[in-house]
PDB file of all heavy atoms in Angstrom:
ATOM      1  N   GLN Z 259       0.842  -1.196   0.000  1.00  0.00           N
ATOM      2  CA  GLN Z 259       0.000   0.000   0.000  1.00  0.00           C
ATOM      3  C   GLN Z 259       0.877   1.247   0.000  1.00  0.00           C
ATOM      4  O   GLN Z 259       1.833   1.344   0.776  1.00  0.00           O
ATOM      5  CB  GLN Z 259      -0.915   0.022   1.234  1.00  0.00           C
ATOM      6  CG  GLN Z 259      -1.919  -1.111   1.281  1.00  0.00           C
ATOM      7  CD  GLN Z 259      -2.831  -1.019   2.493  1.00  0.00           C
ATOM      8  OE1 GLN Z 259      -2.494  -0.382   3.483  1.00  0.00           O
ATOM      9  NE2 GLN Z 259      -3.985  -1.638   2.409  1.00  0.00           N
ATOM     10  N   THR Z 260       0.536   2.180  -0.851  1.00  0.00           N
ATOM     11  CA  THR Z 260       1.278   3.431  -0.916  1.00  0.00           C
ATOM     12  C   THR Z 260       1.032   4.259   0.345  1.00  0.00           C
ATOM     13  O   THR Z 260      -0.106   4.405   0.783  1.00  0.00           O
ATOM     14  CB  THR Z 260       0.846   4.251  -2.149  1.00  0.00           C
ATOM     15  OG1 THR Z 260       1.051   3.462  -3.323  1.00  0.00           O
ATOM     16  CG2 THR Z 260       1.643   5.535  -2.253  1.00  0.00           C
ATOM     17  N   ALA Z 261       2.109   4.799   0.924  1.00  0.00           N
ATOM     18  CA  ALA Z 261       1.979   5.622   2.128  1.00  0.00           C
ATOM     19  C   ALA Z 261       2.462   7.050   1.902  1.00  0.00           C
ATOM     20  O   ALA Z 261       1.845   8.000   2.380  1.00  0.00           O
ATOM     21  CB  ALA Z 261       2.737   4.996   3.291  1.00  0.00           C
ATOM     22  N   VAL Z 262       3.583   7.212   1.209  1.00  0.00           N
ATOM     23  CA  VAL Z 262       4.137   8.542   0.932  1.00  0.00           C
ATOM     24  C   VAL Z 262       4.699   8.555  -0.486  1.00  0.00           C
ATOM     25  O   VAL Z 262       5.402   7.622  -0.884  1.00  0.00           O
ATOM     26  CB  VAL Z 262       5.265   8.918   1.923  1.00  0.00           C
ATOM     27  CG1 VAL Z 262       5.695  10.369   1.714  1.00  0.00           C
ATOM     28  CG2 VAL Z 262       4.842   8.699   3.371  1.00  0.00           C
ATOM     29  N   VAL Z 263       4.390   9.618  -1.232  1.00  0.00           N
ATOM     30  CA  VAL Z 263       4.910   9.758  -2.600  1.00  0.00           C
ATOM     31  C   VAL Z 263       5.589  11.123  -2.723  1.00  0.00           C
ATOM     32  O   VAL Z 263       4.952  12.162  -2.524  1.00  0.00           O
ATOM     33  CB  VAL Z 263       3.793   9.645  -3.653  1.00  0.00           C
ATOM     34  CG1 VAL Z 263       4.368   9.834  -5.057  1.00  0.00           C
ATOM     35  CG2 VAL Z 263       3.086   8.308  -3.552  1.00  0.00           C
ATOM     36  N   PHE Z 264       6.882  11.107  -3.053  1.00  0.00           N
ATOM     37  CA  PHE Z 264       7.643  12.338  -3.277  1.00  0.00           C
ATOM     38  C   PHE Z 264       7.803  12.558  -4.779  1.00  0.00           C
ATOM     39  O   PHE Z 264       8.142  11.626  -5.511  1.00  0.00           O
ATOM     40  CB  PHE Z 264       9.039  12.249  -2.654  1.00  0.00           C
ATOM     41  CG  PHE Z 264       9.037  12.208  -1.152  1.00  0.00           C
ATOM     42  CD1 PHE Z 264       9.064  10.996  -0.481  1.00  0.00           C
ATOM     43  CD2 PHE Z 264       9.015  13.376  -0.409  1.00  0.00           C
ATOM     44  CE1 PHE Z 264       9.069  10.948   0.900  1.00  0.00           C
ATOM     45  CE2 PHE Z 264       9.022  13.349   0.973  1.00  0.00           C
ATOM     46  CZ  PHE Z 264       9.046  12.126   1.632  1.00  0.00           C
ATOM     47  N   THR Z 265       7.577  13.816  -5.197  1.00  0.00           N
ATOM     48  CA  THR Z 265       7.758  14.161  -6.603  1.00  0.00           C
ATOM     49  C   THR Z 265       8.538  15.465  -6.702  1.00  0.00           C
ATOM     50  O   THR Z 265       8.092  16.489  -6.179  1.00  0.00           O
ATOM     51  CB  THR Z 265       6.402  14.328  -7.312  1.00  0.00           C
ATOM     52  OG1 THR Z 265       5.581  13.186  -7.049  1.00  0.00           O
ATOM     53  CG2 THR Z 265       6.600  14.477  -8.809  1.00  0.00           C
ATOM     54  N   PRO Z 266       9.703  15.438  -7.334  1.00  0.00           N
ATOM     55  CA  PRO Z 266      10.454  16.688  -7.531  1.00  0.00           C
ATOM     56  C   PRO Z 266      10.027  17.380  -8.824  1.00  0.00           C
ATOM     57  O   PRO Z 266      10.039  16.765  -9.893  1.00  0.00           O
ATOM     58  CB  PRO Z 266      11.906  16.209  -7.610  1.00  0.00           C
ATOM     59  CG  PRO Z 266      11.809  14.821  -8.158  1.00  0.00           C
ATOM     60  CD  PRO Z 266      10.472  14.258  -7.750  1.00  0.00           C
ATOM     61  N   PHE Z 267       9.617  18.622  -8.717  1.00  0.00           N
ATOM     62  CA  PHE Z 267       9.289  19.431  -9.882  1.00  0.00           C
ATOM     63  C   PHE Z 267      10.348  20.516 -10.055  1.00  0.00           C
ATOM     64  O   PHE Z 267      11.179  20.739  -9.156  1.00  0.00           O
ATOM     65  CB  PHE Z 267       7.909  20.068  -9.718  1.00  0.00           C
ATOM     66  CG  PHE Z 267       6.770  19.089  -9.715  1.00  0.00           C
ATOM     67  CD1 PHE Z 267       6.208  18.672  -8.519  1.00  0.00           C
ATOM     68  CD2 PHE Z 267       6.256  18.598 -10.908  1.00  0.00           C
ATOM     69  CE1 PHE Z 267       5.156  17.768  -8.503  1.00  0.00           C
ATOM     70  CE2 PHE Z 267       5.200  17.693 -10.904  1.00  0.00           C
ATOM     71  CZ  PHE Z 267       4.644  17.278  -9.698  1.00  0.00           C
ATOM     72  N   LYS Z 268      10.285  21.203 -11.177  1.00  0.00           N
ATOM     73  CA  LYS Z 268      11.250  22.263 -11.430  1.00  0.00           C
ATOM     74  C   LYS Z 268      11.134  23.381 -10.397  1.00  0.00           C
ATOM     75  O   LYS Z 268      12.143  23.938  -9.951  1.00  0.00           O
ATOM     76  CB  LYS Z 268      11.033  22.837 -12.833  1.00  0.00           C
ATOM     77  CG  LYS Z 268      12.022  23.919 -13.218  1.00  0.00           C
ATOM     78  CD  LYS Z 268      11.761  24.422 -14.634  1.00  0.00           C
ATOM     79  CE  LYS Z 268      12.738  25.531 -15.003  1.00  0.00           C
ATOM     80  NZ  LYS Z 268      12.480  26.044 -16.386  1.00  0.00           N
ATOM     81  N   GLU Z 269       9.912  23.699  -9.983  1.00  0.00           N
ATOM     82  CA  GLU Z 269       9.691  24.820  -9.072  1.00  0.00           C
ATOM     83  C   GLU Z 269       9.670  24.414  -7.605  1.00  0.00           C
ATOM     84  O   GLU Z 269       9.856  25.262  -6.724  1.00  0.00           O
ATOM     85  CB  GLU Z 269       8.356  25.517  -9.405  1.00  0.00           C
ATOM     86  CG  GLU Z 269       8.284  26.136 -10.787  1.00  0.00           C
ATOM     87  CD  GLU Z 269       7.879  25.120 -11.848  1.00  0.00           C
ATOM     88  OE1 GLU Z 269       7.519  23.979 -11.468  1.00  0.00           O
ATOM     89  OE2 GLU Z 269       7.951  25.451 -13.050  1.00  0.00           O
ATOM     90  N   TYR Z 270       9.421  23.144  -7.310  1.00  0.00           N
ATOM     91  CA  TYR Z 270       9.244  22.735  -5.911  1.00  0.00           C
ATOM     92  C   TYR Z 270       9.348  21.218  -5.760  1.00  0.00           C
ATOM     93  O   TYR Z 270       9.309  20.477  -6.751  1.00  0.00           O
ATOM     94  CB  TYR Z 270       7.887  23.201  -5.377  1.00  0.00           C
ATOM     95  CG  TYR Z 270       6.703  22.717  -6.184  1.00  0.00           C
ATOM     96  CD1 TYR Z 270       6.075  21.502  -5.891  1.00  0.00           C
ATOM     97  CD2 TYR Z 270       6.195  23.472  -7.246  1.00  0.00           C
ATOM     98  CE1 TYR Z 270       4.994  21.058  -6.622  1.00  0.00           C
ATOM     99  CE2 TYR Z 270       5.119  23.036  -7.999  1.00  0.00           C
ATOM    100  CZ  TYR Z 270       4.517  21.822  -7.678  1.00  0.00           C
ATOM    101  OH  TYR Z 270       3.444  21.377  -8.420  1.00  0.00           O
ATOM    102  N   HIS Z 271       9.479  20.771  -4.501  1.00  0.00           N
ATOM    103  CA  HIS Z 271       9.355  19.360  -4.151  1.00  0.00           C
ATOM    104  C   HIS Z 271       7.968  19.162  -3.530  1.00  0.00           C
ATOM    105  O   HIS Z 271       7.509  20.012  -2.761  1.00  0.00           O
ATOM    106  CB  HIS Z 271      10.419  18.936  -3.136  1.00  0.00           C
ATOM    107  CG  HIS Z 271      11.823  19.059  -3.625  1.00  0.00           C
ATOM    108  ND1 HIS Z 271      12.236  18.554  -4.845  1.00  0.00           N
ATOM    109  CD2 HIS Z 271      12.934  19.618  -3.060  1.00  0.00           C
ATOM    110  CE1 HIS Z 271      13.524  18.802  -5.010  1.00  0.00           C
ATOM    111  NE2 HIS Z 271      13.965  19.449  -3.945  1.00  0.00           N
ATOM    112  N   ARG Z 272       7.361  18.036  -3.827  1.00  0.00           N
ATOM    113  CA  ARG Z 272       6.016  17.765  -3.313  1.00  0.00           C
ATOM    114  C   ARG Z 272       5.963  16.380  -2.686  1.00  0.00           C
ATOM    115  O   ARG Z 272       6.585  15.436  -3.175  1.00  0.00           O
ATOM    116  CB  ARG Z 272       4.979  17.853  -4.436  1.00  0.00           C
ATOM    117  CG  ARG Z 272       3.539  17.624  -3.999  1.00  0.00           C
ATOM    118  CD  ARG Z 272       2.600  17.763  -5.195  1.00  0.00           C
ATOM    119  NE  ARG Z 272       1.203  17.682  -4.817  1.00  0.00           N
ATOM    120  CZ  ARG Z 272       0.516  16.539  -4.722  1.00  0.00           C
ATOM    121  NH1 ARG Z 272       1.121  15.389  -4.978  1.00  0.00           N
ATOM    122  NH2 ARG Z 272      -0.760  16.536  -4.368  1.00  0.00           N
ATOM    123  N   ALA Z 273       5.205  16.264  -1.599  1.00  0.00           N
ATOM    124  CA  ALA Z 273       4.980  14.965  -0.964  1.00  0.00           C
ATOM    125  C   ALA Z 273       3.484  14.790  -0.706  1.00  0.00           C
ATOM    126  O   ALA Z 273       2.834  15.684  -0.157  1.00  0.00           O
ATOM    127  CB  ALA Z 273       5.736  14.864   0.354  1.00  0.00           C
ATOM    128  N   ALA Z 274       2.951  13.661  -1.132  1.00  0.00           N
ATOM    129  CA  ALA Z 274       1.576  13.274  -0.819  1.00  0.00           C
ATOM    130  C   ALA Z 274       1.648  12.217   0.269  1.00  0.00           C
ATOM    131  O   ALA Z 274       2.318  11.195   0.107  1.00  0.00           O
ATOM    132  CB  ALA Z 274       0.875  12.733  -2.055  1.00  0.00           C
ATOM    133  N   ILE Z 275       0.982  12.467   1.388  1.00  0.00           N
ATOM    134  CA  ILE Z 275       1.119  11.628   2.578  1.00  0.00           C
ATOM    135  C   ILE Z 275      -0.243  11.057   2.966  1.00  0.00           C
ATOM    136  O   ILE Z 275      -1.213  11.802   3.152  1.00  0.00           O
ATOM    137  CB  ILE Z 275       1.709  12.441   3.749  1.00  0.00           C
ATOM    138  CG1 ILE Z 275       3.102  12.962   3.354  1.00  0.00           C
ATOM    139  CG2 ILE Z 275       1.774  11.599   5.024  1.00  0.00           C
ATOM    140  CD1 ILE Z 275       3.679  13.974   4.326  1.00  0.00           C
ATOM    141  N   LEU Z 276      -0.294   9.746   3.065  1.00  0.00           N
ATOM    142  CA  LEU Z 276      -1.523   9.058   3.459  1.00  0.00           C
ATOM    143  C   LEU Z 276      -1.467   8.791   4.947  1.00  0.00           C
ATOM    144  O   LEU Z 276      -0.478   8.262   5.462  1.00  0.00           O
ATOM    145  CB  LEU Z 276      -1.654   7.737   2.696  1.00  0.00           C
ATOM    146  CG  LEU Z 276      -3.008   7.027   2.757  1.00  0.00           C
ATOM    147  CD1 LEU Z 276      -4.058   7.826   1.993  1.00  0.00           C
ATOM    148  CD2 LEU Z 276      -2.890   5.624   2.168  1.00  0.00           C
ATOM    149  N   GLU Z 277      -2.530   9.162   5.655  1.00  0.00           N
ATOM    150  CA  GLU Z 277      -2.600   8.965   7.110  1.00  0.00           C
ATOM    151  C   GLU Z 277      -3.628   7.900   7.458  1.00  0.00           C
ATOM    152  O   GLU Z 277      -4.675   7.799   6.804  1.00  0.00           O
ATOM    153  CB  GLU Z 277      -3.003  10.268   7.801  1.00  0.00           C
ATOM    154  CG  GLU Z 277      -2.031  11.400   7.691  1.00  0.00           C
ATOM    155  CD  GLU Z 277      -2.548  12.590   8.463  1.00  0.00           C
ATOM    156  OE1 GLU Z 277      -3.436  13.291   7.944  1.00  0.00           O
ATOM    157  OE2 GLU Z 277      -2.078  12.808   9.591  1.00  0.00           O
ATOM    158  N   ARG Z 278      -3.325   7.135   8.488  1.00  0.00           N
ATOM    159  CA  ARG Z 278      -4.301   6.182   9.024  1.00  0.00           C
ATOM    160  C   ARG Z 278      -4.487   6.475  10.501  1.00  0.00           C
ATOM    161  O   ARG Z 278      -3.552   6.365  11.293  1.00  0.00           O
ATOM    162  CB  ARG Z 278      -3.824   4.744   8.826  1.00  0.00           C
ATOM    163  CG  ARG Z 278      -3.777   4.328   7.372  1.00  0.00           C
ATOM    164  CD  ARG Z 278      -3.574   2.848   7.207  1.00  0.00           C
ATOM    165  NE  ARG Z 278      -2.354   2.378   7.840  1.00  0.00           N
ATOM    166  CZ  ARG Z 278      -1.926   1.138   7.792  1.00  0.00           C
ATOM    167  NH1 ARG Z 278      -2.629   0.231   7.145  1.00  0.00           N
ATOM    168  NH2 ARG Z 278      -0.798   0.781   8.376  1.00  0.00           N
ATOM    169  N   ARG Z 279      -5.700   6.870  10.876  1.00  0.00           N
ATOM    170  CA  ARG Z 279      -5.978   7.210  12.269  1.00  0.00           C
ATOM    171  C   ARG Z 279      -7.277   6.552  12.712  1.00  0.00           C
ATOM    172  O   ARG Z 279      -8.331   6.798  12.125  1.00  0.00           O
ATOM    173  CB  ARG Z 279      -6.123   8.732  12.445  1.00  0.00           C
ATOM    174  CG  ARG Z 279      -4.868   9.514  12.147  1.00  0.00           C
ATOM    175  CD  ARG Z 279      -5.085  10.963  12.493  1.00  0.00           C
ATOM    176  NE  ARG Z 279      -3.954  11.783  12.108  1.00  0.00           N
ATOM    177  CZ  ARG Z 279      -3.896  13.088  12.313  1.00  0.00           C
ATOM    178  NH1 ARG Z 279      -4.906  13.702  12.895  1.00  0.00           N
ATOM    179  NH2 ARG Z 279      -2.836  13.776  11.937  1.00  0.00           N
ATOM    180  N   GLY Z 280      -7.168   5.744  13.734  1.00  0.00           N
ATOM    181  CA  GLY Z 280      -8.365   5.131  14.301  1.00  0.00           C
ATOM    182  C   GLY Z 280      -9.193   4.367  13.285  1.00  0.00           C
ATOM    183  O   GLY Z 280     -10.424   4.410  13.325  1.00  0.00           O
ATOM    184  N   GLY Z 281      -8.518   3.683  12.360  1.00  0.00           N
ATOM    185  CA  GLY Z 281      -9.235   2.904  11.359  1.00  0.00           C
ATOM    186  C   GLY Z 281      -9.673   3.713  10.152  1.00  0.00           C
ATOM    187  O   GLY Z 281     -10.186   3.156   9.182  1.00  0.00           O
ATOM    188  N   ARG Z 282      -9.477   5.020  10.198  1.00  0.00           N
ATOM    189  CA  ARG Z 282      -9.846   5.867   9.075  1.00  0.00           C
ATOM    190  C   ARG Z 282      -8.603   6.305   8.297  1.00  0.00           C
ATOM    191  O   ARG Z 282      -7.522   6.397   8.851  1.00  0.00           O
ATOM    192  CB  ARG Z 282     -10.617   7.098   9.556  1.00  0.00           C
ATOM    193  CG  ARG Z 282     -11.977   6.765  10.180  1.00  0.00           C
ATOM    194  CD  ARG Z 282     -12.686   8.018  10.635  1.00  0.00           C
ATOM    195  NE  ARG Z 282     -11.910   8.723  11.656  1.00  0.00           N
ATOM    196  CZ  ARG Z 282     -12.266   9.906  12.161  1.00  0.00           C
ATOM    197  NH1 ARG Z 282     -13.354  10.516  11.722  1.00  0.00           N
ATOM    198  NH2 ARG Z 282     -11.528  10.476  13.094  1.00  0.00           N
TER     199      ARG Z 282
END
């Protein structure tokens, strides 16, 4: 399962972060 995705762009670095809290 994907949890964190880092993507480097020309203008910035980006991270998409998936959280799991209390079953949600």
